[in-house]
Amino acid sequence: MAFLQWLDGRGWLVAAGPLGDQDGAGLTVARVPGDKVGELVEAAHQQDASVAEGLFDVLVRPWQVRFATPQER
Amino acid sequence: MAFLQWLDGRGWLVAAGPLGDQDGAGLTVARVPGDKVGELVEAAHQQDASVAEGLFDVLVRPWQVRFATPQER
C-alpha cells in the first residue's frame, strides 16, 4: 500500500495488517508528532488510489497509549 | 482496569489507552498464543465489572500484523 510506504518513509509506521474478521478491513498504527497529524490525515485519504477513489473508507483515530510493554522481535 | 492487569500478568499486553475522539472508548493490543484466544475473549468480557455489567461493550478482533517497525521506548 502506498500509504504504508509513505508512513514508513517518515519513520512513523509502527505496525499494520489486516483485521481477520472482516474482508478488506485493516488496522495501521502510526506514531506521529503532534504538529504532523493534519499531514497524516491528508495522506491517509490521498496516498492510496483505492481510498481516494472511494473503494475503501479510512478512519484516523487518536490513540493515547498509556500502557506499553516492550516486545521481543 | 482489571483486564489490563490480567493481560499484563500473562505477558500478553502490548499497548493500551483511550481513543481520544470518543468518550469511554479505548484500544488494547494484546499478543496471544493461538490456542489461548478463547481464554482472552472470555477474560475480555468478564474481567472488568463495567463490561460484565453491560456498561461498556467489548469487541475482540484478530489482527494479523504484517508490518512492524521496532520502536524506541
Side-chain angles (χ1 to χ4, degrees):
Chain A
M1 283 175 63
F3 177 55
L4 295 183
Q5 292 174 342
W6 182 89
L7 276 177
D8 196 34
R10 275 155 188 74
W12 296 348
L13 180 61
V14 176
L19 290 165
D21 58 355
Q22 186 183 352
D23 270 355
L27 175 66
T28 297
V29 173
R31 182 180 295 185
V32 182
D35 63 348
K36 304 290 187 183
V37 169
E39 190 179 336
L40 171 79
V41 172
E42 187 179 323
H45 287 88
Q46 299 186 349
Q47 288 286 330
D48 276 295
S50 56
V51 173
E53 293 170 3
L55 295 175
F56 289 99
D57 290 325
V58 66
L59 176 63
V60 182
R61 306 191 69 178
W63 186 28
Q64 299 176 280
V65 177
R66 298 217 179 131
F67 308 88
T69 310
Q71 302 291 307
E72 319 93 80
R73 288 170 194 281
Chain B
M1 284 175 64
F3 177 55
L4 295 183
Q5 292 174 341
W6 182 89
L7 276 178
D8 196 33
R10 276 155 188 74
W12 297 347
L13 179 62
V14 176
L19 290 165
D21 59 354
Q22 186 184 352
D23 270 357
L27 175 66
T28 297
V29 174
R31 183 181 294 183
V32 182
D35 62 346
K36 304 290 189 184
V37 170
E39 191 179 336
L40 170 79
V41 172
E42 187 178 323
H45 287 88
Q46 300 186 348
Q47 289 286 330
D48 276 296
S50 56
V51 173
E53 292 170 2
L55 295 176
F56 289 100
D57 289 326
V58 66
L59 176 63
V60 182
R61 305 191 69 178
W63 186 29
Q64 298 175 281
V65 177
R66 298 218 180 130
F67 308 88
T69 309
Q71 302 291 307
E72 319 93 81
R73 286 168 193 281

PDB file of all heavy atoms in Angstrom, chain B residues 7-39:
ATOM      1  N   LEU B   7      -4.089  -9.215  31.506  1.00  0.00           N
ATOM      2  CA  LEU B   7      -3.271  -9.387  30.299  1.00  0.00           C
ATOM      3  C   LEU B   7      -1.785  -9.256  30.617  1.00  0.00           C
ATOM      4  O   LEU B   7      -0.963 -10.059  30.162  1.00  0.00           O
ATOM      5  CB  LEU B   7      -3.628  -8.310  29.268  1.00  0.00           C
ATOM      6  CG  LEU B   7      -4.800  -8.525  28.339  1.00  0.00           C
ATOM      7  CD1 LEU B   7      -4.959  -7.300  27.450  1.00  0.00           C
ATOM      8  CD2 LEU B   7      -4.612  -9.777  27.494  1.00  0.00           C
ATOM      9  N   ASP B   8      -1.448  -8.213  31.377  1.00  0.00           N
ATOM     10  CA  ASP B   8      -0.051  -7.952  31.683  1.00  0.00           C
ATOM     11  C   ASP B   8       0.541  -9.101  32.495  1.00  0.00           C
ATOM     12  O   ASP B   8       1.693  -9.492  32.275  1.00  0.00           O
ATOM     13  CB  ASP B   8       0.051  -6.624  32.454  1.00  0.00           C
ATOM     14  CG  ASP B   8       1.463  -6.078  32.470  1.00  0.00           C
ATOM     15  OD1 ASP B   8       2.204  -6.284  31.482  1.00  0.00           O
ATOM     16  OD2 ASP B   8       1.833  -5.441  33.467  1.00  0.00           O
ATOM     17  N   GLY B   9      -0.241  -9.652  33.393  1.00  0.00           N
ATOM     18  CA  GLY B   9       0.231 -10.763  34.213  1.00  0.00           C
ATOM     19  C   GLY B   9       0.590 -11.984  33.382  1.00  0.00           C
ATOM     20  O   GLY B   9       1.454 -12.783  33.774  1.00  0.00           O
ATOM     21  N   ARG B  10      -0.041 -12.148  32.240  1.00  0.00           N
ATOM     22  CA  ARG B  10       0.264 -13.272  31.343  1.00  0.00           C
ATOM     23  C   ARG B  10       1.326 -12.922  30.306  1.00  0.00           C
ATOM     24  O   ARG B  10       1.686 -13.765  29.482  1.00  0.00           O
ATOM     25  CB  ARG B  10      -1.014 -13.739  30.642  1.00  0.00           C
ATOM     26  CG  ARG B  10      -1.799 -14.714  31.496  1.00  0.00           C
ATOM     27  CD  ARG B  10      -3.259 -14.740  31.183  1.00  0.00           C
ATOM     28  NE  ARG B  10      -3.952 -15.554  32.179  1.00  0.00           N
ATOM     29  CZ  ARG B  10      -4.185 -15.142  33.431  1.00  0.00           C
ATOM     30  NH1 ARG B  10      -3.771 -13.965  33.829  1.00  0.00           N
ATOM     31  NH2 ARG B  10      -4.819 -15.931  34.273  1.00  0.00           N
ATOM     32  N   GLY B  11       1.788 -11.673  30.320  1.00  0.00           N
ATOM     33  CA  GLY B  11       2.790 -11.262  29.333  1.00  0.00           C
ATOM     34  C   GLY B  11       2.206 -11.011  27.957  1.00  0.00           C
ATOM     35  O   GLY B  11       2.936 -10.990  26.964  1.00  0.00           O
ATOM     36  N   TRP B  12       0.909 -10.801  27.875  1.00  0.00           N
ATOM     37  CA  TRP B  12       0.247 -10.644  26.571  1.00  0.00           C
ATOM     38  C   TRP B  12      -0.056  -9.196  26.212  1.00  0.00           C
ATOM     39  O   TRP B  12      -0.418  -8.911  25.069  1.00  0.00           O
ATOM     40  CB  TRP B  12      -1.075 -11.420  26.546  1.00  0.00           C
ATOM     41  CG  TRP B  12      -0.937 -12.896  26.713  1.00  0.00           C
ATOM     42  CD1 TRP B  12       0.216 -13.639  26.628  1.00  0.00           C
ATOM     43  CD2 TRP B  12      -1.996 -13.837  26.966  1.00  0.00           C
ATOM     44  NE1 TRP B  12      -0.058 -14.967  26.830  1.00  0.00           N
ATOM     45  CE2 TRP B  12      -1.408 -15.122  27.029  1.00  0.00           C
ATOM     46  CE3 TRP B  12      -3.367 -13.710  27.138  1.00  0.00           C
ATOM     47  CZ2 TRP B  12      -2.155 -16.270  27.271  1.00  0.00           C
ATOM     48  CZ3 TRP B  12      -4.120 -14.871  27.372  1.00  0.00           C
ATOM     49  CH2 TRP B  12      -3.518 -16.133  27.436  1.00  0.00           C
ATOM     50  N   LEU B  13       0.069  -8.283  27.163  1.00  0.00           N
ATOM     51  CA  LEU B  13      -0.288  -6.889  26.896  1.00  0.00           C
ATOM     52  C   LEU B  13       0.784  -6.222  26.046  1.00  0.00           C
ATOM     53  O   LEU B  13       1.969  -6.256  26.379  1.00  0.00           O
ATOM     54  CB  LEU B  13      -0.441  -6.123  28.216  1.00  0.00           C
ATOM     55  CG  LEU B  13      -0.803  -4.637  28.101  1.00  0.00           C
ATOM     56  CD1 LEU B  13      -2.146  -4.446  27.423  1.00  0.00           C
ATOM     57  CD2 LEU B  13      -0.805  -3.991  29.480  1.00  0.00           C
ATOM     58  N   VAL B  14       0.385  -5.631  24.937  1.00  0.00           N
ATOM     59  CA  VAL B  14       1.313  -4.877  24.095  1.00  0.00           C
ATOM     60  C   VAL B  14       1.160  -3.378  24.363  1.00  0.00           C
ATOM     61  O   VAL B  14       2.134  -2.705  24.696  1.00  0.00           O
ATOM     62  CB  VAL B  14       1.089  -5.189  22.600  1.00  0.00           C
ATOM     63  CG1 VAL B  14       1.995  -4.324  21.731  1.00  0.00           C
ATOM     64  CG2 VAL B  14       1.347  -6.669  22.329  1.00  0.00           C
ATOM     65  N   ALA B  15      -0.046  -2.860  24.236  1.00  0.00           N
ATOM     66  CA  ALA B  15      -0.260  -1.429  24.439  1.00  0.00           C
ATOM     67  C   ALA B  15      -1.753  -1.193  24.654  1.00  0.00           C
ATOM     68  O   ALA B  15      -2.596  -1.929  24.135  1.00  0.00           O
ATOM     69  CB  ALA B  15       0.234  -0.623  23.245  1.00  0.00           C
ATOM     70  N   ALA B  16      -2.056  -0.149  25.411  1.00  0.00           N
ATOM     71  CA  ALA B  16      -3.462   0.164  25.684  1.00  0.00           C
ATOM     72  C   ALA B  16      -3.606   1.635  26.043  1.00  0.00           C
ATOM     73  O   ALA B  16      -2.683   2.249  26.581  1.00  0.00           O
ATOM     74  CB  ALA B  16      -3.983  -0.691  26.841  1.00  0.00           C
ATOM     75  N   GLY B  17      -4.774   2.157  25.733  1.00  0.00           N
ATOM     76  CA  GLY B  17      -5.065   3.537  26.104  1.00  0.00           C
ATOM     77  C   GLY B  17      -6.347   3.996  25.451  1.00  0.00           C
ATOM     78  O   GLY B  17      -6.926   3.295  24.607  1.00  0.00           O
ATOM     79  N   PRO B  18      -6.810   5.187  25.843  1.00  0.00           N
ATOM     80  CA  PRO B  18      -8.079   5.691  25.309  1.00  0.00           C
ATOM     81  C   PRO B  18      -7.983   6.161  23.859  1.00  0.00           C
ATOM     82  O   PRO B  18      -6.923   6.582  23.402  1.00  0.00           O
ATOM     83  CB  PRO B  18      -8.400   6.872  26.233  1.00  0.00           C
ATOM     84  CG  PRO B  18      -7.097   7.273  26.830  1.00  0.00           C
ATOM     85  CD  PRO B  18      -6.235   6.052  26.876  1.00  0.00           C
ATOM     86  N   LEU B  19      -9.098   6.055  23.146  1.00  0.00           N
ATOM     87  CA  LEU B  19      -9.248   6.651  21.812  1.00  0.00           C
ATOM     88  C   LEU B  19      -9.869   8.027  22.032  1.00  0.00           C
ATOM     89  O   LEU B  19     -11.013   8.143  22.486  1.00  0.00           O
ATOM     90  CB  LEU B  19     -10.138   5.772  20.929  1.00  0.00           C
ATOM     91  CG  LEU B  19      -9.485   4.439  20.527  1.00  0.00           C
ATOM     92  CD1 LEU B  19     -10.529   3.467  19.980  1.00  0.00           C
ATOM     93  CD2 LEU B  19      -8.387   4.660  19.497  1.00  0.00           C
ATOM     94  N   GLY B  20      -9.084   9.057  21.718  1.00  0.00           N
ATOM     95  CA  GLY B  20      -9.429  10.404  22.157  1.00  0.00           C
ATOM     96  C   GLY B  20     -10.617  11.044  21.467  1.00  0.00           C
ATOM     97  O   GLY B  20     -11.041  12.136  21.853  1.00  0.00           O
ATOM     98  N   ASP B  21     -11.162  10.388  20.445  1.00  0.00           N
ATOM     99  CA  ASP B  21     -12.266  11.005  19.716  1.00  0.00           C
ATOM    100  C   ASP B  21     -13.634  10.524  20.183  1.00  0.00           C
ATOM    101  O   ASP B  21     -14.656  10.906  19.600  1.00  0.00           O
ATOM    102  CB  ASP B  21     -12.111  10.774  18.208  1.00  0.00           C
ATOM    103  CG  ASP B  21     -12.066   9.306  17.838  1.00  0.00           C
ATOM    104  OD1 ASP B  21     -12.038   8.455  18.758  1.00  0.00           O
ATOM    105  OD2 ASP B  21     -12.049   8.991  16.644  1.00  0.00           O
ATOM    106  N   GLN B  22     -13.664   9.687  21.232  1.00  0.00           N
ATOM    107  CA  GLN B  22     -14.957   9.153  21.695  1.00  0.00           C
ATOM    108  C   GLN B  22     -14.884   8.879  23.185  1.00  0.00           C
ATOM    109  O   GLN B  22     -14.033   8.107  23.644  1.00  0.00           O
ATOM    110  CB  GLN B  22     -15.275   7.853  20.928  1.00  0.00           C
ATOM    111  CG  GLN B  22     -16.651   7.289  21.214  1.00  0.00           C
ATOM    112  CD  GLN B  22     -16.878   5.954  20.502  1.00  0.00           C
ATOM    113  OE1 GLN B  22     -16.063   5.529  19.690  1.00  0.00           O
ATOM    114  NE2 GLN B  22     -17.961   5.294  20.832  1.00  0.00           N
ATOM    115  N   ASP B  23     -15.770   9.494  23.962  1.00  0.00           N
ATOM    116  CA  ASP B  23     -15.765   9.300  25.410  1.00  0.00           C
ATOM    117  C   ASP B  23     -15.915   7.835  25.765  1.00  0.00           C
ATOM    118  O   ASP B  23     -16.834   7.158  25.280  1.00  0.00           O
ATOM    119  CB  ASP B  23     -16.921  10.074  26.056  1.00  0.00           C
ATOM    120  CG  ASP B  23     -16.527  11.478  26.442  1.00  0.00           C
ATOM    121  OD1 ASP B  23     -15.334  11.834  26.263  1.00  0.00           O
ATOM    122  OD2 ASP B  23     -17.389  12.224  26.916  1.00  0.00           O
ATOM    123  N   GLY B  24     -15.030   7.344  26.606  1.00  0.00           N
ATOM    124  CA  GLY B  24     -15.138   5.982  27.106  1.00  0.00           C
ATOM    125  C   GLY B  24     -14.569   4.917  26.196  1.00  0.00           C
ATOM    126  O   GLY B  24     -14.513   3.752  26.576  1.00  0.00           O
ATOM    127  N   ALA B  25     -14.152   5.309  24.970  1.00  0.00           N
ATOM    128  CA  ALA B  25     -13.613   4.320  24.034  1.00  0.00           C
ATOM    129  C   ALA B  25     -12.121   4.137  24.261  1.00  0.00           C
ATOM    130  O   ALA B  25     -11.407   5.077  24.619  1.00  0.00           O
ATOM    131  CB  ALA B  25     -13.870   4.751  22.593  1.00  0.00           C
ATOM    132  N   GLY B  26     -11.654   2.927  24.042  1.00  0.00           N
ATOM    133  CA  GLY B  26     -10.236   2.653  24.173  1.00  0.00           C
ATOM    134  C   GLY B  26      -9.834   1.526  23.256  1.00  0.00           C
ATOM    135  O   GLY B  26     -10.682   0.803  22.720  1.00  0.00           O
ATOM    136  N   LEU B  27      -8.525   1.391  23.070  1.00  0.00           N
ATOM    137  CA  LEU B  27      -7.978   0.317  22.245  1.00  0.00           C
ATOM    138  C   LEU B  27      -6.887  -0.384  23.033  1.00  0.00           C
ATOM    139  O   LEU B  27      -6.007   0.275  23.596  1.00  0.00           O
ATOM    140  CB  LEU B  27      -7.393   0.890  20.945  1.00  0.00           C
ATOM    141  CG  LEU B  27      -6.676  -0.094  20.024  1.00  0.00           C
ATOM    142  CD1 LEU B  27      -7.640  -1.127  19.447  1.00  0.00           C
ATOM    143  CD2 LEU B  27      -5.961   0.650  18.895  1.00  0.00           C
ATOM    144  N   THR B  28      -6.980  -1.699  23.080  1.00  0.00           N
ATOM    145  CA  THR B  28      -5.955  -2.518  23.723  1.00  0.00           C
ATOM    146  C   THR B  28      -5.416  -3.494  22.692  1.00  0.00           C
ATOM    147  O   THR B  28      -6.187  -4.138  21.988  1.00  0.00           O
ATOM    148  CB  THR B  28      -6.556  -3.312  24.909  1.00  0.00           C
ATOM    149  OG1 THR B  28      -7.021  -2.383  25.887  1.00  0.00           O
ATOM    150  CG2 THR B  28      -5.523  -4.229  25.540  1.00  0.00           C
ATOM    151  N   VAL B  29      -4.096  -3.573  22.583  1.00  0.00           N
ATOM    152  CA  VAL B  29      -3.463  -4.548  21.703  1.00  0.00           C
ATOM    153  C   VAL B  29      -2.800  -5.606  22.569  1.00  0.00           C
ATOM    154  O   VAL B  29      -2.045  -5.283  23.491  1.00  0.00           O
ATOM    155  CB  VAL B  29      -2.424  -3.886  20.778  1.00  0.00           C
ATOM    156  CG1 VAL B  29      -1.663  -4.942  19.976  1.00  0.00           C
ATOM    157  CG2 VAL B  29      -3.106  -2.900  19.830  1.00  0.00           C
ATOM    158  N   ALA B  30      -3.109  -6.859  22.280  1.00  0.00           N
ATOM    159  CA  ALA B  30      -2.536  -7.985  23.020  1.00  0.00           C
ATOM    160  C   ALA B  30      -1.929  -8.974  22.021  1.00  0.00           C
ATOM    161  O   ALA B  30      -2.453  -9.153  20.922  1.00  0.00           O
ATOM    162  CB  ALA B  30      -3.609  -8.680  23.851  1.00  0.00           C
ATOM    163  N   ARG B  31      -0.829  -9.571  22.405  1.00  0.00           N
ATOM    164  CA  ARG B  31      -0.229 -10.641  21.592  1.00  0.00           C
ATOM    165  C   ARG B  31      -0.447 -11.950  22.331  1.00  0.00           C
ATOM    166  O   ARG B  31       0.097 -12.161  23.414  1.00  0.00           O
ATOM    167  CB  ARG B  31       1.264 -10.389  21.394  1.00  0.00           C
ATOM    168  CG  ARG B  31       1.922 -11.419  20.491  1.00  0.00           C
ATOM    169  CD  ARG B  31       3.400 -11.156  20.325  1.00  0.00           C
ATOM    170  NE  ARG B  31       3.634  -9.903  19.616  1.00  0.00           N
ATOM    171  CZ  ARG B  31       4.840  -9.443  19.281  1.00  0.00           C
ATOM    172  NH1 ARG B  31       5.919 -10.143  19.589  1.00  0.00           N
ATOM    173  NH2 ARG B  31       4.981  -8.305  18.626  1.00  0.00           N
ATOM    174  N   VAL B  32      -1.246 -12.827  21.727  1.00  0.00           N
ATOM    175  CA  VAL B  32      -1.758 -14.008  22.428  1.00  0.00           C
ATOM    176  C   VAL B  32      -1.444 -15.256  21.611  1.00  0.00           C
ATOM    177  O   VAL B  32      -1.642 -15.256  20.390  1.00  0.00           O
ATOM    178  CB  VAL B  32      -3.294 -13.882  22.600  1.00  0.00           C
ATOM    179  CG1 VAL B  32      -3.850 -15.057  23.365  1.00  0.00           C
ATOM    180  CG2 VAL B  32      -3.635 -12.584  23.303  1.00  0.00           C
ATOM    181  N   PRO B  33      -0.968 -16.324  22.251  1.00  0.00           N
ATOM    182  CA  PRO B  33      -0.789 -17.583  21.514  1.00  0.00           C
ATOM    183  C   PRO B  33      -2.121 -18.037  20.906  1.00  0.00           C
ATOM    184  O   PRO B  33      -3.176 -17.854  21.510  1.00  0.00           O
ATOM    185  CB  PRO B  33      -0.320 -18.572  22.596  1.00  0.00           C
ATOM    186  CG  PRO B  33       0.210 -17.715  23.707  1.00  0.00           C
ATOM    187  CD  PRO B  33      -0.594 -16.437  23.663  1.00  0.00           C
ATOM    188  N   GLY B  34      -2.042 -18.639  19.725  1.00  0.00           N
ATOM    189  CA  GLY B  34      -3.250 -19.010  19.001  1.00  0.00           C
ATOM    190  C   GLY B  34      -4.203 -19.876  19.798  1.00  0.00           C
ATOM    191  O   GLY B  34      -5.425 -19.732  19.688  1.00  0.00           O
ATOM    192  N   ASP B  35      -3.650 -20.762  20.634  1.00  0.00           N
ATOM    193  CA  ASP B  35      -4.538 -21.675  21.369  1.00  0.00           C
ATOM    194  C   ASP B  35      -5.111 -21.031  22.641  1.00  0.00           C
ATOM    195  O   ASP B  35      -5.819 -21.693  23.398  1.00  0.00           O
ATOM    196  CB  ASP B  35      -3.803 -22.975  21.715  1.00  0.00           C
ATOM    197  CG  ASP B  35      -2.613 -22.736  22.629  1.00  0.00           C
ATOM    198  OD1 ASP B  35      -2.189 -21.576  22.786  1.00  0.00           O
ATOM    199  OD2 ASP B  35      -2.092 -23.721  23.177  1.00  0.00           O
ATOM    200  N   LYS B  36      -4.800 -19.740  22.863  1.00  0.00           N
ATOM    201  CA  LYS B  36      -5.304 -19.054  24.052  1.00  0.00           C
ATOM    202  C   LYS B  36      -6.333 -17.981  23.709  1.00  0.00           C
ATOM    203  O   LYS B  36      -6.756 -17.221  24.579  1.00  0.00           O
ATOM    204  CB  LYS B  36      -4.151 -18.374  24.807  1.00  0.00           C
ATOM    205  CG  LYS B  36      -3.030 -19.314  25.201  1.00  0.00           C
ATOM    206  CD  LYS B  36      -3.470 -20.265  26.297  1.00  0.00           C
ATOM    207  CE  LYS B  36      -2.268 -21.055  26.823  1.00  0.00           C
ATOM    208  NZ  LYS B  36      -2.672 -22.055  27.817  1.00  0.00           N
ATOM    209  N   VAL B  37      -6.720 -17.911  22.456  1.00  0.00           N
ATOM    210  CA  VAL B  37      -7.622 -16.832  22.029  1.00  0.00           C
ATOM    211  C   VAL B  37      -8.967 -16.929  22.752  1.00  0.00           C
ATOM    212  O   VAL B  37      -9.533 -15.913  23.177  1.00  0.00           O
ATOM    213  CB  VAL B  37      -7.806 -16.860  20.491  1.00  0.00           C
ATOM    214  CG1 VAL B  37      -8.915 -15.913  20.072  1.00  0.00           C
ATOM    215  CG2 VAL B  37      -6.495 -16.473  19.803  1.00  0.00           C
ATOM    216  N   GLY B  38      -9.464 -18.137  22.933  1.00  0.00           N
ATOM    217  CA  GLY B  38     -10.739 -18.299  23.619  1.00  0.00           C
ATOM    218  C   GLY B  38     -10.675 -17.776  25.050  1.00  0.00           C
ATOM    219  O   GLY B  38     -11.613 -17.129  25.536  1.00  0.00           O
ATOM    220  N   GLU B  39      -9.550 -18.055  25.695  1.00  0.00           N
ATOM    221  CA  GLU B  39      -9.346 -17.571  27.065  1.00  0.00           C
ATOM    222  C   GLU B  39      -9.333 -16.048  27.099  1.00  0.00           C
ATOM    223  O   GLU B  39      -9.899 -15.413  27.999  1.00  0.00           O
ATOM    224  CB  GLU B  39      -8.010 -18.137  27.578  1.00  0.00           C
ATOM    225  CG  GLU B  39      -7.759 -17.954  29.040  1.00  0.00           C
ATOM    226  CD  GLU B  39      -6.423 -18.575  29.466  1.00  0.00           C
ATOM    227  OE1 GLU B  39      -5.924 -19.506  28.768  1.00  0.00           O
ATOM    228  OE2 GLU B  39      -5.867 -18.121  30.472  1.00  0.00           O
TER     229      GLU B  39
END
